[in-house]
């Protein structure tokens, strides 16, 4: 009997990239190249990360962009200190939690929440939270960068003016959200011309997509500065469009928004020094998971006992997270997050994770700015009286886990996209690198499991039957193919280099057709 299962028969590999001047790893090759060019012009790791970040919103717009939020970890060699830049999304001040009544059914969302009437927390204007992205990256650039804002955003302006290439992968991603994109006129016009996702003709170059008025918005941000997004003409435009669609997000919400810079939350695992974002992220849960792992990851290579220890540690840590921080129920789909890791030749490191939350966020593109808006209200538990329940002016709990750590004379910046799958991926990659001495390329290629709070553990199909047998003694297990689409595991990017100087090396998410590590020159 032939078993039907999702499978891709190609064998995809990616070479690591090393450079004395630094490297940039992101989910899109054009954005990585822009970051590398900034390093080549003398910019530091933060400059490169900001330029890459701004550019990726024009070439991978369903993942992140001006209408989203995120977290950035910055290690400064001159201070030997790591900072966290928090630019997470916030619920509008006039939001009314009573506007999100439960239907009694379960929703088809990332987190398996109970269903809200009309999916108001998932799709459309009621799902939109106050975006922190522009405030966050501009704050990081001003505080830690070395180049002017205009220099960092100009490449993104040029990319937006050229439009986005719609190759087969873009067509695939747009198709997955087409049913919801067609509900919003500007989104439909941009992403579904003639009512269908753009498709290239066989034997001809792929078509391009003009992302509405996004290029004008990028030019405005370049010329008027980033606070225009929150207090100037751009803010007026955003609020006008949001109000017209029924959002309660106001000019006060935008004007009051500020990104926060905190000292990193520090932790230890054996002789590994770990820096994560504090507060409502997956960072505290990552540190908790390592405490639960203890000394159980050992040997020359990860064996069945190692993966069993991973499964137990992750399962226990997620249960603790749900009990104390909110954000419970199962994760069933990938998020639209993207991650950027950067190191420069001076020993500075950046781990930057940014998101719209769901694929295409709220699915709303604002007609007068071309900004694709987040659906950050989905991060909240729609049930009242919970640690993470919907409340006005409140930040939700997120799954982002940008991390910088040092071990055995090296420093590494890493993170991933993938919703609740992010932290388990970061956790295992760190163990591969520190417990088993893998290089970044080998760690990125090593098969993983996913344990992110559900009843069933997912096991990469490349892992041995012995590992499956061991884990099945305690957990319900399903095998999953780690392919291009669907993406059943998190999508990491990482960079690493010797403390004190020398070349740095980066590895990009292997199954992605777009992810790339770039170096100057």
């Amino acid at each position: 009997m032939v078993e039907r299962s999702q499978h891709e028969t190609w064998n995809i590999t990616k070479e690591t990239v090393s450079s004395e001047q630094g490297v940039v790893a992101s989910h899109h090759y054009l954005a990585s190249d822009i970051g590398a060019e900034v390093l080549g012009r003398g910019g530091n790791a933060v400059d490169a990360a900001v330029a890459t970040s701004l550019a990726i919103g024009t070439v991978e717009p369903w993942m992140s962009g001006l209408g989203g939020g995120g977290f950035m970890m910055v290690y400064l060699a001159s201070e030997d200190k790591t900072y966290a830049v928090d630019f997470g999304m916030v619920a509008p001040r006039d939001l009314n939690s009573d506007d999100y009544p439960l239907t009694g059914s379960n929703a088809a969302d990332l987190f398996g929440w109970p269903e809200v009437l009309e999916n108001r927390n998932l799709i459309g204007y009621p799902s939109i939270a106050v975006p922190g992205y522009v405030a966050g990256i501009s704050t990081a650039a001003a505080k830690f960068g070395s180049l002017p804002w205009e220099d960092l955003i100009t490449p993104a302006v040029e990319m937006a003016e050229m439009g986005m290439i719609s190759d087969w992968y873009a067509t695939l991603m747009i198709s997955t959200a087409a049913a919801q994109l067609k509900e919003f006129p500007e989104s439909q016009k941009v992403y579904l011309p003639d009512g269908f996702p753009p498709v290239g003709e066989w034997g001809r170059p792929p078509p391009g997509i003009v992302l509405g008025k996004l290029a004008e918005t990028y030019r405005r941000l370049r010329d008027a500065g980033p606070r225009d997004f929150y207090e100037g003409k751009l803010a007026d435009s955003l609020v006008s469009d949001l109000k017209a669609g029924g959002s309660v997000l106001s000019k006060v919400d935008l004007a009051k928004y500020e990104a926060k810079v905190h000292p990193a939350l520090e932790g230890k695992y054996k002789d590994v020094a770990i820096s994560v974002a504090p507060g409502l992220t997956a960072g505290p849960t990552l540190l908790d998971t390592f405490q639960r792992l203890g000394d159980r990851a050992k040997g020359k290579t990860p064996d069945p006992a190692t993966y069993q220890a991973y499964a137990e540690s992750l399962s226990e840590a997620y249960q603790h997270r749900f009990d104390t921080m909110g954000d419970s129920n199962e994760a069933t789909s990938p998020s639209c997050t993207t991650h950027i890791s950067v190191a420069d030749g001076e020993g500075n490191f950046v781990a930057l994770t940014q998101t719209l939350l769901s694929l295409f966020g709220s699915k709303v593109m604002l007609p007068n700015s071309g900004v694709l808006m987040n659906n950050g209200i989905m991060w909240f538990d729609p049930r009242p009286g919970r640690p993470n329940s919907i409340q006005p002016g409140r930040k939700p709990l997120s799954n982002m886990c940008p991390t910088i750590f040092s071990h055995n004379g090296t420093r590494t910046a890493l993170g991933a996209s993938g919703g609740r799958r992010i932290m388990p991926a970061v956790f295992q990659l760190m163990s591969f690198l520190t417990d088993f001495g893998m290089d970044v390329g080998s760690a990125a290629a090593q098969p993983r499991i996913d344990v992110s709070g559900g009843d069933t553990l997912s096991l990469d199909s490349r892992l041995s039957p012995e590992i499956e047998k061991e884990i099945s003694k305690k957990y319900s297990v399903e095998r999953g193919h780690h392919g291009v689409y669907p993406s059943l595991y998190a999508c990491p990017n990482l960079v690493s280099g010797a403390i004190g100087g020398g070349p740095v090396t980066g590895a990009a998410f292997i199954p992605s057709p777009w992810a790339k590590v770039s170096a100057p020159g």
Side-chain angles (χ1 to χ4, degrees), residues 58 103 122 159 166 407 428:
T58 71
T103 67
L122 310 182
M159 295 296 295
S166 183
H407 167 258
Q428 289 170 84

Side-chain angles (χ1 to χ4, degrees), residues 96-382:
N96 186 346
S97 57
D98 292 339
D99 291 337
Y100 301 84
L102 303 180
T103 67
S105 300
N106 288 324
D109 64 14
L110 297 177
F111 305 129
W113 296 132
E115 184 181 59
V116 170
L117 181 67
E118 300 170 349
N119 287 321
R120 293 174 185 173
N121 61 328
L122 310 182
I123 304 167
Y125 291 87
S127 71
I128 297 171
V130 183
Y133 172 80
V134 175
I137 58 158
S138 61
T139 295
K143 187 171 181 62
F144 305 118
S146 63
L147 298 179
W149 168 255
E150 181 178 354
D151 290 358
L152 302 180
I153 195 173
T154 292
V157 172
E158 295 171 353
M159 295 296 295
E161 289 172 341
M162 288 188 291
M164 187 190 78
I165 297 174
S166 183
D167 62 9
W168 67 269
Y169 188 62
T171 298
L172 170 64
M173 300 305 289
I174 294 169
S175 298
T176 63
Q180 295 169 332
L181 290 169
K182 71 178 183 181
E183 297 180 20
F184 304 99
E186 189 70 7
S187 303
Q188 181 182 40
K189 182 174 73 173
V190 169
Y191 292 109
L192 304 172
D194 303 318
F196 298 96
V199 179
E201 296 182 30
W202 185 261
R204 300 191 64 181
I209 297 178
V210 176
L211 298 174
K213 295 185 178 180
L214 188 63
E216 296 178 25
T217 297
Y218 269 94
R219 286 195 294 269
R220 177 73 189 177
L221 285 173
R222 178 194 62 193
D223 299 338
R227 283 310 298 180
D228 196 73
F229 192 89
Y230 296 93
E231 299 176 282
K233 290 184 178 179
L234 268 179
D236 292 340
S237 170
L238 296 172
V239 170
S240 176
D241 282 348
L242 288 165
K243 293 286 187 186
S247 172
V248 298
L249 199 157
S250 69
K251 291 182 68 173
V252 174
D253 287 314
L254 290 176
K256 294 287 187 180
Y257 189 93
E258 291 183 358
K260 304 295 185 183
V261 179
H262 307 282
L265 176 64
E266 307 288 352
K268 293 284 289 186
Y269 167 65
K270 298 180 180 178
D271 59 348
V272 185
I274 308 170
S275 300
V276 296
L280 297 174
T281 71
T285 306
L286 175 68
L287 299 182
D288 183 32
T289 308
F290 273 114
Q291 291 301 309
R292 296 173 189 275
L293 178 63
D295 63 354
R296 291 182 290 168
K298 51 192 174 183
K300 293 184 178 180
T301 58
D303 61 10
T306 298
Y307 281 98
Q308 178 71 292
Y310 289 163
E312 291 173 354
S313 303
L314 286 163
S315 181
E316 293 168 4
Y318 261 104
Q319 188 58 54
H320 178 71
R321 175 181 174 88
F322 298 159
D323 291 342
T324 61
M325 299 177 73
D327 188 20
S328 59
N329 287 312
E330 296 184 17
T332 56
S333 305
S335 76
C336 68
T337 309
T338 198
H339 181 80
I340 298 164
S341 292
V342 183
D344 62 26
E346 303 301 319
N348 303 301
F349 284 75
V350 172
L352 165 59
T353 309
Q354 57 193 55
T355 188
L356 291 175
L357 189 43
S358 290
L359 189 73
F360 290 91
S362 62
K363 313 301 187 291
V364 173
M365 176 179 276
L366 301 181
N368 287 308
S369 63
V371 175
L372 190 61
M373 296 301 295
N374 69 80
N375 63 336
I377 302 303
M378 182 177 145
W379 255 329
F380 290 104
D381 188 337

